[in-house]
Amino acid sequence: MSDERPNGLRDNRLPASLDRTDAAILGLLQNNARLSVKEIAAEIGLAPSSTHERIRRMRDADILRGAHAEVDPKALGIGLEALLMIELSKHRRSTVDSFLDEVVKVPEVRFAYLVTGRHDLIVHVVVRDTRHLKDLALDHFTNRPGVTRIETSIIFEARHRHELPLLRQIG
Amino acid sequence: MSDERPNGLRDNRLPASLDRTDAAILGLLQNNARLSVKEIAAEIGLAPSSTHERIRRMRDADILRGAHAEVDPKALGIGLEALLMIELSKHRRSTVDSFLDEVVKVPEVRFAYLVTGRHDLIVHVVVRDTRHLKDLALDHFTNRPGVTRIETSIIFEARHRHELPLLRQIG
DNA sequence: GATGAAAGCAGATCGCC
DNA sequence: GGCGATCTGCTTTCATC
């Protein structure tokens, strides 16, 4: 959701025009970033060189932003995942950006969302067990200045979609 | 968080032993799945063939589970992201799995978490604008049997960590 | 833009240590 | 388990349409 570029200016690039072939490539790569250009080309019915050129263009335009490997959490000793729903004091709400930056440096944090509504911050954490969760909450959140209240929700089950929907008219 | 294999049996594989070299490889690939074996080898101080063998082993052991490309949401017309915090009726709580399955088929859904606490389900959705959000909530959630209440939290800002922490003793 | 051919390079295997 | 050599096949470039 970041609107901002590193220099702090709004990103005023004109919306890059994608056609349905580009969208198909993005869909395939979101589901499996290890697909070869050759495999993608076969899937979409283009030559590998043409497919390669489209991928290169989308990378240059920062539409395609790299890829991340998925690792089995259990293999790393992660036995429990939770969402921390955090309320911040009025004062801290003025400096939420630096707060977000600090939070996301904690290794056990997967994401931190600044949101509207009952809570101010939703933080997804991964831990060994309930004891680790308690320690993490106390050490990094409960006692932190600016935090007025935390609600903990343990995640029983999670489902993910890796592919974003295409919500624009395409060229 | 899935404990289950496709056949419905518990996964009883012994915990695969990772050493710190394996952990370093996983860390690099989580941050950038497009790194070549050669680049990873240089980073961790091993020969490319040895590095390749370690990666192959972790893939075979299902510790390394593929990769997903990251796409600029704005390029697809996504202007707004939100969390839907959903309460389910007692009856529906007995069939949450099929509910989760259906929810995650909706293209605008990124993830759905079944959780403890005030809410039962946390659903991350991506939409064009507030009008789209309203329509999505009404069409797929508010009027759905089993849903008793929805709270909507708009995401102002999001930060992610792509690398999971190593929480096990390593060999 | 798309294409096929050519060049360069990475992935994968293997025998050896 | 790590290593270097080797082979194979993919990525990337480029001239042409």
Side-chain angles (χ1 to χ4, degrees), chain A residues 117-119, chain B residues 83-86 118-119 149-153:
Chain A
R118 188 195 302 272
H119 316 284
Chain B
L83 296 178
L84 306 181
M85 279 114 156
I86 298 174
R118 187 195 303 270
H119 317 284
R149 199 171 150 277
I150 298 191
E151 217 177 298
T152 303
S153 282

Side-chain angles (χ1 to χ4, degrees), chain A residues 7-33:
Chain A
N7 57 17
L9 298 174
R10 290 278 153 182
D11 184 348
N12 284 326
R13 267 174 312 186
L14 291 174
S17 94
L18 297 176
D19 61 21
R20 48 203 91 227
T21 303
D22 291 322
I25 294 171
L26 293 179
L28 290 168
L29 285 175
Q30 284 175 96
N31 282 314
N32 182 6

Side-chain angles (χ1 to χ4, degrees), chain A residues 22-35 40 63-68 70 161-166, chain B residues 66-73 76 78 110 126:
Chain A
D22 291 322
I25 294 171
L26 293 179
L28 290 168
L29 285 175
Q30 284 175 96
N31 282 314
N32 182 6
R34 302 191 62 252
L35 284 174
I40 296 168
I63 294 169
L64 205 34
R65 295 178 166 167
H68 306 280
E70 192 184 333
R161 270 185 76 82
H162 299 292
E163 191 179 341
L164 295 174
L166 178 62
Chain B
H68 305 280
E70 192 184 333
V71 171
D72 176 16
L76 300 173
I78 295 165
R110 297 209 67 178
V126 297

